[in-house]
Amino acid sequence: MNHMDQVRMLEFPVNGDERGHLVIVEGLQDIPFEMKRLFYIFGSDPEVVRGQHANRKSQFVLINVAGTSKVKVKDGRGNEAIYCLNRPHTGLFIPTMVWKDMYDFSEDSVLLCISDEHYDPAEYIRNYDEYVKAVLEENE
Ligand code: TYD
């Protein structure tokens, strides 16, 4: 199984009227999981690369609610893809066991990350060689 095949952009409903826009993200409706945790990243310089890990248990949806950034995903077998997050009503779904780098943050970037798991550092794989090994083991 290649988890990277499931990486995809999601589009959320926008309720707009003369008062402005309201974007709705419902667990199991607009994203493919129930949410347990959210965190957001802001104030990262353009040359900073964040992420640089894969998760054994957590799935994520990443939304640039303000500004822009890029996300590079890798499958540990030589395939990679780059997504530009540049609209506040779209999100990038990243399932488990996908390597991710977040970078090219605009000065006003606020990157909202939604997950289906509470934080557990033990389920993060932060070493790329270890990740490649885990991908191979998974497919044995
Ligand atoms: P890190 O995983 O390096 O952030 P990112 O992948 O988004 O660049 O996390 C930075 C620090 O924050 C690290 O010490 C772990 C801590 N942290 C938590 O305590 N809870 C969390 O939910 C997250 C995402 C990070």
Side-chain angles (χ1 to χ4, degrees):
M1 174 160 77
N2 193 331
H3 299 259
M4 209 172 83
D5 295 344
Q6 296 167 51
V7 175
R8 62 187 184 276
M9 291 300 300
L10 307 173
E11 192 139 339
F12 308 123
V14 183
N15 260 342
D17 57 31
E18 64 287 349
R19 297 170 301 160
H21 304 293
L22 173 74
V23 176
I24 301 137
V25 183
E26 295 257 14
L28 286 180
Q29 292 178 28
D30 303 300
I31 60 174
F33 54 75
E34 292 266 27
M35 38 188 107
K36 274 196 190 155
R37 173 171 61 123
L38 71 79
F39 53 94
Y40 44 94
I41 295 167
F42 61 98
S44 286
D45 288 333
E47 64 272 13
V48 162
V49 181
R50 299 199 59 119
Q52 301 193 285
H53 51 57
N55 294 76
R56 291 182 187 274
K57 286 196 316 196
S58 300
Q59 311 182 80
F60 295 93
V61 170
L62 273 47
I63 307 168
N64 252 112
V65 291
T68 61
S69 70
K70 293 196 180 88
V71 183
K72 184 190 278 184
V73 291
K74 297 184 189 179
D75 67 355
R77 306 173 209 186
N79 301 303
E80 58 182 53
I82 293 173
Y83 292 86
C84 298
L85 301 183
N86 54 15
R87 291 177 300 163
H89 63 285
T90 59
L92 181 65
F93 171 64
I94 306 179
T96 60
M97 288 302 284
V98 171
W99 189 268
K100 47 204 168 296
D101 296 336
M102 295 90 90
Y103 62 104
D104 253 7
F105 296 95
S106 65
E107 208 174 296
D108 59 345
S109 172
V110 182
L111 178 59
L112 175 67
C113 308
I114 304 170
S115 178
D116 62 338
E117 293 282 340
H118 290 296
Y119 184 63
D120 172 12
E123 62 100 17
Y124 278 68
I125 306 175
R126 292 182 180 272
N127 176 287
Y128 192 73
D129 292 338
E130 194 188 320
Y131 167 64
V132 169
K133 229 174 111 197
V135 167
L136 286 174
E137 278 165 14
E138 201 184 41
N139 289 284
E140 268 169 9

